[in-house]
Amino acid sequence: MTTFTEHPPVPKVLQEALKDYPELIAELQEGLKTVGRAPGMSKAQLTDQLEATIAVLEARLGVFAMRAAEERTRANATGDEEAMADAKANDLLMFDCRSSVPDTLGELAAFFA
């Protein structure tokens, strides 16, 4: 097992999108502690870690999207217009974040270069 000396940061595009949700940024950062780089890693190992990083982000963001969809379902069941609007906005934000993973590739590739 490799001991990583550095872990990738949460990509800027996700930090910006989730700026009002520091707890979600912290959850992403926690997940990124499972991947990283270390001195002497081969190009193939770094590529594997880049792919693992993408998988971590996609998985965590998928959980966020699932939670937001569940929240939206609960809000819709209440009939409370404000709660429904908030839940819809959150659901859309999480969907957008999940869809923006390809936008993080340049930043992540630079980290693993």
Side-chain angles (χ1 to χ4, degrees):
M1 182 172 163
T2 303
T3 301
F4 302 118
T5 56
E6 293 182 76
H7 304 281
V10 174
K12 287 177 179 55
V13 68
L14 295 175
Q15 288 184 41
E16 179 60 30
L18 297 170
K19 67 181 178 253
D20 295 331
Y21 300 90
E23 70 282 2
L24 297 182
I25 294 172
E27 277 190 57
L28 288 175
Q29 192 62 62
E30 189 63 30
L32 293 174
K33 289 181 180 178
T34 64
V35 294
R37 63 183 182 192
M41 289 181 89
S42 69
K43 187 168 181 78
Q45 288 171 316
L46 291 169
T47 299
D48 289 346
Q49 286 303 300
L50 171 60
E51 290 174 1
T53 299
I54 294 164
V56 166
L57 290 174
E58 288 176 337
R60 294 279 172 133
L61 291 167
V63 169
F64 297 171
M66 185 173 55
R67 287 184 205 156
E70 290 169 355
E71 176 188 330
R72 187 174 182 181
T73 299
R74 286 191 302 274
N76 288 345
T78 70
D80 179 334
E81 293 294 326
E82 186 176 338
M84 290 167 50
D86 289 346
K88 179 181 179 180
N90 190 43
D91 191 16
L92 292 173
L93 173 63
M94 294 309 130
F95 178 81
D96 287 347
C97 285
R98 191 170 183 205
S99 298
S100 70
V101 170
D103 299 336
T104 70
L105 294 179
E107 183 179 348
L108 293 172
F111 177 83
F112 287 103

